[in-house]
Amino acid sequence: MEYNFREIEKKWHAVWAEQQTYRVTEDAARPKFYVLNMFPYPSGAGLHVGHPLGYIASDIYARYKRQKGYNVLNPMGYDAYGLPAEQYAIQTGQHPAITTVNNINRYREQLDKIGFSFDWSREVRTCDPQYYHWTQWAFERMFESYYDRRQDRACPIFELEAAFSAHGTEGVDAACSEDLTFTADEWNGWDSVKRQQVLMNYRIAYLGETMVNWCPKLGTVLANDEVVEGVSERGGYPVVQKKMKQWCLRVSAYAQRLLDGLDTIDWTESLKETQRNWIGRSEGTEVEFTVKDSDVHFTIFTTRADTMFGVTFMVLAPESELVAQLTTDTQRTEVDAYLEATKKRTERERIADRRVTGVFTGSYAINPFTGEAIPVWVSDYVLAGYGTGAIMAVPAHDSRDYAFARHFGLPVIPLIEGCDVSEESFDAKEGIVCNSPRPDVKPYVDFSLNGLTVKEAIAATKKYVSEHHLGRVKVNYRLRDAIFSRQRYWGEPFPVYYKDGMPQLIPEDCLPLELPEVKTYEPTESGEPPLGHAARWAWDTEARCVVDNTRIDNCTVFPLELNTMPGFAGSSAYYLRYMDPHNDKALVSAEADNYWKNVDLYVGGTEHATGHLIYSRFWNKFLHDYGYSCTEEPFQKLVNQGMIQGRSNFVYRVKDTNTFVSLGLKDGYDVTPIHVDVNLVENDVLDLDRFKAWRPEYATADFILEDGKYVCGWAVEKMSKSMFNVVNPDMIIERYGADTLRLYEMFLGPINQSKPWDSNGIDGCARFLRKFWNLFFDADGAFCVSDETPAKESLKTLHKLIKKVSEDIEVFSYNTAISAFMIAVGELASQKCRSRQVLETVVTLIAPFTPHVAEELWQRLGHTATVCDAPWPAFDEAYLKEDTVTLSVSFNGKTRFTMDFPADASNADVESTVLASEQAAKYLAGMQVVKVIVVPKRIVNIVLKK
RNA sequence: GCACUUGUGGCGAAAUUGGUAGACGCGCCAGACUUAGGAUCUGGUGACUUCGGUCGUGUAGGUUCGAGUCCUAUCAGGUGCACCA
């Protein structure tokens, strides 16, 4: 009987859907296992063969775990808010919701064909009000919280209010935007608006005036991870720095916990390293500098406290508030001109053009160690957002300071014995400190670092600075708070209205606050976000509902927030929602959360390393602080699937003709390579008729063939429409079936490696499945298995397979597992194995990989239950025992011959037998045996000398 | 510049973790069955070779009876971060 994958796959898709085979419920009697894929953004282009790679890998694992007896949660949903749908809406006027639903339907259709074990009853869509209810809810919880550094967790903001009312800032250690100090009397004397302004400094979701990445072309701000090399990640438009009032999340408060958590989770080292870089912890010292002839003083941050004696100037960031204070009248014009010029430069320009610029403020700071007056400059190489926005410059030991000093002729004082700073700075943190203090300068403080190593000197300075109240030890993080506002339509609305200019929350029981309809999706004429077009977008505090804007002058009606939330809002806690997707009382019930806990296996690409994977961890930690999520880390194990690149094909057109020359002959002509649709090419051979039909201009094309074929050139490029190299899984499934697609995608290589899609090998997988199918049918095509006792060799083949496949799945080495299947099927075929016992077990083993064919054979074998619940077979070492083992015999490391031994032969037996053997005699002649090494079951090496 | 990561046939890749390098698949070669083959089946396929062997895992050293695997240096590709003081 023919292997008819079309019929088989169609049949089982219907059965699985009808019987809800993959539906799961919490079951305390069984251990849980939570498998998760990063949910897709449903783009208009549909799925290409790269998308299912991770889904197939996780599906195999999910099915395997289910057969192992776990209660497996394997959900799927859609990250449905996003820019493309909105851009499309701006162009066509079509509501993004319509575009999104269409795309989702297309995705679903494609996904269904591949035979995943998703529990679709748990599907979530981030744009669904029932879903974003809980995104808004989480935002409200963050607004109502501050981060208590003492307890190292988020706490309700009313506790902070109570503390302020009782004793002001005294005794409070809370994460904040700006260090404030006030007394209880001051606090109690302030009015409500002033208090709200102060609290905003502490809230975890806060409204802050911050420098943002503004993309004029997109009309919105972008998060740091959405900006790549000074242009927007989507669209590649220029991004400028701009000061704006924005919603922010105090992610920075969690920096240390985000860093520490990495040690507790099973992610690849490179991904953890990427996050460590992004968090950018740096231990250093804050030192206070006073300004000469002034009562102004300011703080700098340094990791090189050992270089205090070599400071020759100070630099402020142009954005620093100190600039205005320190600029003297004589320097004012020059400084203002510099600030103006700097403002005009975009991030991109600053990166592209790293010339040394700066200007003297006219003020001098006093070095607290040497008492010297050192000039204070302004330069854009100092960043406002890091440290204190001010630095002490040590040109001898920092290359940026060095470049600045050389450019402006400032002194350079070396502080490491024997270092040469005539050409460049000595940046390495090593060597013996000297010139600290310098012999020619009268010591200002009774403190010397001379003779210490850099490391010792840093420690000594930290100690000294702390003890003498010149500064403090400080840990800085590069991680910045996440900007949480977007000036877009297609996103979650903030559950916020404004009263007296201060944001107020929509009551929790009124959520969700649904996204209103708008006339157009562009910004308003006054530059407000698209929600400014909404006619019904005001909040009536009395009626507790959304009302018409025109009623705003009514004293109970207030304007609603016009910004929406960014893409990462909806994806930050979706894994929790899958646990309990229809709950309308909570994000997730405590019971569901306690059962499913966190994701055991998360599969997705590395591109989210500094975006979603940081935000999600932050979000979860916040929810964990309140007990809404019972685990500290959301994703226990993370597997990164590699990207599938495209493999483009080229034809070579002879210049100024309509003649195309085959790859091997093209060197004889002047040719232009042209991308040709890879779907017209098979094994790099062009289908001439379909090529002619592809484009009207090729209808009359001529070809110069080699061996009667037109061979195309190829290159590995990104998979994209414009390169004509997009391979759609539907076409593969149509031709080979979903099981072959699944098998082939996994056979391509290790899942974590990027590789080009290349259909050339797919026939091998199709052939294998046919051979596998044929094991169950006799020459006449009748289904044929026997209940006879299987041959010993078949059992050996089987148990070898069980062992290998079980081990390989555990470590995601699917390509080698599939190789093992190929070998086993070949062996069983040549053994003419018809044993039900053996064949049935092979079906249960292959079921995670090729569920459709396994299900069909399982049914034909007489089972009524699904193969998904067939228990995973145990392997028995007894079948793998060999009677004899073959050892390689080497002399001085060179293998000369092999010998057979009984499997239980002792090393001593082996040694004496080998030495006495005829084959060995010729190598032993005239030699002396120094040593004999016997590696059990492998090798015998005899070391000889003359 | 810093960090991480990968280098093995014509190609995708294996290698029991220090023990016969190249499993398995593609491609290629030969044969069988065929009117036909882009179908199916069987066998062969790292390089050189005087057919005894010799050389082979980016390059150069080292440790070891034995190295793709461990150590040192170096080269090349990929990814991430990057005026972070």
Side-chain angles (χ1 to χ4, degrees):
Chain A
M1 175 148 186
E2 278 285 291
Y3 165 48
N4 187 337
F5 57 83
R6 282 193 193 87
E7 248 170 53
I8 294 171
E9 290 174 6
K10 204 172 135 202
K11 168 179 163 189
W12 288 104
H13 289 157
V15 174
W16 291 337
E18 202 233 321
Q19 300 186 349
Q20 305 200 352
T21 309
Y22 302 116
R23 189 157 188 164
V24 290
T25 47
E26 293 71 36
D27 176 0
R30 281 189 297 159
K32 67 95 189 188
F33 198 88
Y34 187 175
V35 176
L36 185 65
N37 292 285
M38 290 184 185
F39 62 170
Y41 172 76
S43 85
L47 289 177
H48 64 63
V49 288
H51 292 108
L53 187 79
Y55 306 156
I56 295 170
S58 59
D59 191 56
I60 291 170
Y61 202 80
R63 287 172 179 274
Y64 163 75
K65 277 286 179 183
R66 178 167 171 174
Q67 287 185 248
K68 287 281 257 185
Y70 288 85
N71 192 25
V72 177
L73 177 58
N74 184 22
M76 185 45 100
Y78 304 97
D79 187 13
Y81 277 131
L83 225 42
E86 180 156 343
Q87 298 283 65
Y88 189 72
I90 290 171
Q91 284 160 24
T92 64
Q94 188 179 68
H95 196 288
I98 298 173
T99 318
T100 304
V101 167
N102 288 344
N103 292 347
I104 285 177
N105 291 340
R106 168 102 181 94
Y107 264 57
R108 177 64 190 273
E109 213 176 283
Q110 286 185 294
L111 289 171
D112 279 347
K113 285 188 191 163
I114 305 173
F116 293 118
S117 61
F118 296 135
D119 177 358
W120 284 107
S121 74
R122 291 175 183 257
E123 179 195 307
V124 299
R125 300 177 183 188
T126 53
C127 65
D128 181 348
Q130 297 313 307
Y131 179 87
Y132 67 66
H133 179 157
W134 303 105
T135 311
Q136 292 176 337
W137 169 83
F139 170 82
E140 293 202 340
R141 297 281 66 72
M142 291 183 195
F143 181 83
E144 297 280 28
S145 299
Y146 77 105
Y147 196 87
D148 188 325
R149 291 215 190 99
R150 299 249 151 101
Q151 299 178 57
D152 217 359
R153 53 161 291 201
C155 293
I157 195 91
F158 64 76
E159 292 180 9
L160 189 64
E161 289 181 80
F164 287 162
S165 176
H167 33 257
T169 49
E170 185 66 39
V172 168
D173 188 9
C176 56
S177 309
E178 196 186 334
D179 278 314
L180 300 178
T181 313
F182 52 82
T183 64
D185 286 346
E186 283 175 293
W187 169 265
N188 292 324
W190 287 331
D191 66 8
S192 152
V193 170
K194 172 69 182 170
R195 286 188 196 173
Q196 287 182 57
Q197 282 166 357
V198 170
L199 286 178
M200 201 52 96
N201 187 47
Y202 298 94
R203 294 183 191 275
I204 287 182
Y206 65 96
L207 203 50
E209 181 94 16
T210 47
M211 284 306 243
V212 296
N213 305 301
W214 174 255
C215 181
K217 188 84 187 182
L218 293 172
T220 190
V221 302
L222 298 170
N224 284 336
D225 68 284
E226 292 169 321
V227 182
V228 180
E229 289 177 5
V231 298
S232 66
E233 188 189 23
R234 280 182 194 261
Y237 305 116
V239 172
V240 296
Q241 299 296 301
K242 192 173 166 182
K243 203 156 207 181
M244 281 178 79
K245 200 153 214 183
Q246 298 286 318
W247 284 104
C248 302
L249 301 184
R250 209 174 293 285
V251 179
S252 58
Y254 284 82
Q256 189 60 47
R257 279 169 66 187
L258 288 168
L259 193 61
D260 293 341
L262 291 174
D263 296 331
T264 69
I265 51 183
D266 187 8
W267 295 13
T268 59
E269 201 45 48
S270 68
L271 194 71
K272 288 187 189 180
E273 200 56 33
T274 301
Q275 290 211 343
R276 288 191 191 108
N277 276 339
W278 189 259
I279 295 166
R281 182 190 154 100
S282 112
E283 280 179 50
T285 316
E286 278 188 352
V287 185
E288 297 276 348
F289 279 73
T290 51
V291 177
K292 193 182 170 196
D293 304 328
S294 155
D295 46 8
V296 178
H297 56 94
F298 63 95
T299 310
I300 59 90
F301 175 78
T302 180
T303 53
R304 291 296 301 273
D306 60 307
T307 59
M308 283 301 299
F309 292 93
V311 180
T312 56
F313 57 102
M314 313 288 291
V315 188
L316 306 176
E319 297 86 356
S320 170
E321 285 152 16
L322 289 163
V323 176
Q325 294 181 54
L326 296 190
T327 302
T328 57
D329 291 341
T330 49
Q331 290 298 103
R332 182 139 292 142
T333 339
E334 217 180 314
V335 169
D336 286 349
Y338 181 73
L339 296 186
E340 203 49 46
T342 321
K343 215 176 268 175
K344 280 198 195 121
R345 297 177 82 194
T346 63
E347 185 91 343
R348 196 189 171 97
E349 283 165 350
R350 276 171 68 162
I351 290 165
D353 171 25
R354 286 191 189 176
R355 59 200 157 144
V356 178
T357 62
V359 59
F360 178 45
T361 60
S363 290
Y364 291 84
I366 305 294
N367 184 329
F369 278 48
T370 64
E372 292 168 301
I374 45 186
V376 181
W377 289 64
V378 181
S379 173
D380 67 1
Y381 85 87
V382 174
L383 305 177
Y386 186 78
T388 60
I391 63 150
M392 62 178 213
V394 186
H397 303 292
D398 182 287
S399 48
R400 294 154 300 174
D401 298 345
Y402 188 86
F404 196 85
R406 283 287 182 243
H407 189 262
F408 291 104
L410 297 157
V412 178
I413 304 167
L415 302 166
I416 306 286
E417 279 178 18
C419 72
D420 173 18
V421 293
S422 58
E423 291 298 323
E424 56 181 359
S425 60
F426 181 83
D427 288 16
K429 284 190 188 180
E430 55 196 39
I432 304 297
V433 175
C434 64
N435 282 337
S436 302
R438 300 199 298 277
D440 57 313
V441 175
K442 185 172 165 274
Y444 186 74
V445 288
D446 179 22
F447 180 65
S448 171
L449 296 169
N450 291 330
L452 300 178
T453 65
V454 168
K455 228 174 164 182
E456 291 162 349
I458 291 174
T461 313
K462 275 183 179 170
K463 189 158 172 262
Y464 185 87
V465 160
S466 310
E467 283 170 0
H468 292 76
H469 305 289
L470 298 170
R472 62 206 70 84
V473 172
K474 169 90 188 203
V475 178
N476 256 328
Y477 300 91
R478 204 185 63 90
L479 183 71
R480 315 238 194 116
D481 288 347
I483 294 167
F484 201 59
S485 298
R486 294 293 181 275
Q487 291 67 42
R488 312 297 311 183
Y489 172 71
W490 193 229
E492 298 87 349
F494 282 87
V496 164
Y497 64 92
Y498 287 88
K499 185 179 172 187
D500 302 325
M502 292 308 290
Q504 313 293 329
L505 295 183
I506 303 292
E508 194 180 320
D509 58 344
C510 297
L511 296 181
L513 178 69
E514 293 201 28
L515 188 64
E517 294 297 320
V518 290
K519 299 191 293 280
T520 118
Y521 304 100
E522 284 174 276
T524 64
E525 277 166 27
S526 55
E528 284 179 328
L531 285 188
H533 291 295
R536 273 179 72 80
W537 199 237
W539 184 254
D540 188 329
T541 51
E542 195 134 290
R544 294 157 58 88
C545 65
V546 174
V547 294
D548 224 272
N549 292 350
T550 51
R551 294 177 47 199
I552 280 177
D553 42 4
N554 181 321
C555 60
T556 64
V557 176
F558 300 95
L560 282 158
E561 170 70 61
L562 299 179
N563 286 296
T564 55
M565 298 186 194
F568 68 83
S571 58
S572 286
Y574 74 113
Y575 58 91
L576 290 172
R577 190 62 181 162
Y578 280 136
M579 295 174 183
D580 196 6
H582 309 296
N583 190 334
D584 58 2
K585 300 284 185 296
L587 167 64
V588 52
S589 70
E591 299 78 60
D593 181 51
N594 276 317
Y595 182 71
W596 296 112
K597 295 197 161 65
N598 58 357
V599 176
D600 296 287
L601 173 67
Y602 197 25
V603 178
T606 32
E607 64 272 22
H608 299 107
T610 54
H612 161 63
L613 287 173
I614 288 259
Y615 298 128
S616 214
R617 291 181 60 221
F618 153 75
W619 202 284
N620 187 75
K621 282 175 191 298
F622 172 77
L623 294 176
H624 176 69
D625 285 347
Y626 283 108
Y628 296 122
S629 168
C630 64
T631 50
E632 169 89 20
E633 286 291 338
F635 313 119
Q636 192 49 45
K637 182 175 174 67
L638 185 98
V639 170
N640 295 118
Q641 93 269 27
M643 259 203 282
I644 295 235
Q645 296 143 306
R647 187 177 186 277
S648 313
N649 275 114
F650 297 96
V651 291
Y652 301 94
R653 187 170 64 192
V654 179
K655 239 181 192 148
D656 305 321
T657 67
N658 204 12
T659 301
F660 295 84
V661 57
S662 185
L663 177 69
L665 305 170
K666 78 176 167 66
D667 290 347
Y669 302 83
D670 185 8
V671 294
T672 323
I674 296 170
H675 276 97
V676 60
D677 191 330
V678 290
N679 296 301
L680 305 177
V681 179
E682 193 168 324
N683 292 344
D684 288 337
V685 175
L686 182 66
D687 183 326
L688 299 181
D689 293 333
R690 289 175 61 205
F691 177 71
K692 285 183 177 179
W694 186 39
R695 290 279 169 86
E697 65 263 38
Y698 300 144
T700 57
D702 291 319
F703 302 94
I704 301 171
L705 307 177
E706 51 183 318
D707 305 330
K709 293 182 290 194
Y710 188 95
V711 180
C712 299
W714 59 273
V716 172
E717 294 170 304
K718 200 182 155 197
M719 196 170 274
S720 91
K721 269 182 171 173
S722 62
M723 314 262 196
F724 299 109
N725 60 6
V726 175
V727 182
N728 185 299
D730 301 359
M731 303 184 57
I732 308 278
I733 290 171
E734 178 54 31
R735 179 137 176 222
Y736 294 97
D739 284 336
T740 300
L741 173 77
R742 291 171 64 106
L743 217 46
Y744 184 58
E745 290 224 7
M746 293 302 104
F747 190 60
L748 229 37
I751 27 174
N752 56 353
Q753 244 167 60
S754 287
K755 56 227 151 190
W757 176 263
D758 179 353
S759 318
N760 288 346
I762 198 164
D763 289 322
C765 289
R767 217 169 281 158
F768 159 75
L769 272 185
R770 225 167 17 235
K771 281 184 200 165
F772 174 61
W773 177 262
N774 286 335
L775 284 181
F776 296 80
F777 296 88
D778 62 20
D780 305 325
F783 191 77
C784 171
V785 292
S786 91
D787 288 320
E788 284 166 32
T789 317
K792 208 176 155 197
E793 53 175 354
S794 298
L795 285 171
K796 191 173 158 188
T797 298
L798 177 67
H799 284 270
K800 224 164 52 184
L801 181 68
I802 298 171
K803 184 169 190 231
K804 180 76 177 145
V805 171
S806 307
E807 287 170 357
D808 286 352
I809 291 181
E810 286 291 355
V811 297
F812 305 95
S813 180
Y814 298 144
N815 54 335
T816 53
I818 294 166
S819 296
F821 277 115
M822 290 173 171
I823 295 167
V825 167
E827 285 177 8
L828 293 175
S830 65
Q831 292 159 11
K832 302 204 164 38
C833 174
R834 294 245 162 253
S835 158
R836 166 186 295 275
Q837 187 197 327
V838 171
L839 295 179
E840 194 170 87
T841 312
V842 178
V843 171
T844 64
L845 286 172
I846 208 168
F849 297 87
T850 58
H852 311 85
V853 70
E855 200 79 88
E856 176 68 22
L857 290 168
W858 191 245
Q859 190 189 44
R860 284 172 187 255
L861 283 161
H863 297 274
T864 48
T866 172
V867 73
C868 310
D869 290 320
W872 193 257
F875 86 92
D876 188 340
E877 196 78 55
Y879 293 107
L880 302 183
K881 278 224 177 92
E882 306 273 353
D883 295 335
T884 60
V885 292
T886 305
L887 298 192
S888 307
V889 181
S890 306
F891 293 91
N892 287 340
K894 296 240 185 275
T895 304
R896 297 299 174 177
F897 57 86
T898 60
M899 269 181 97
D900 289 347
F901 291 91
D904 54 1
S906 72
N907 286 359
D909 290 346
V910 171
E911 185 177 330
S912 54
T913 315
V914 169
L915 290 177
S917 70
E918 248 174 72
Q919 294 112 301
K922 106 184 207 203
Y923 299 98
L924 294 170
M927 305 293 279
Q928 194 185 335
V929 176
V930 177
K931 200 176 353 171
V932 179
I933 296 119
V934 179
V935 181
K937 296 181 190 173
R938 303 236 170 274
I939 199 164
V940 183
N941 191 16
I942 299 158
V943 186
L944 301 172
K945 70 172 186 190
K946 275 243 161 92

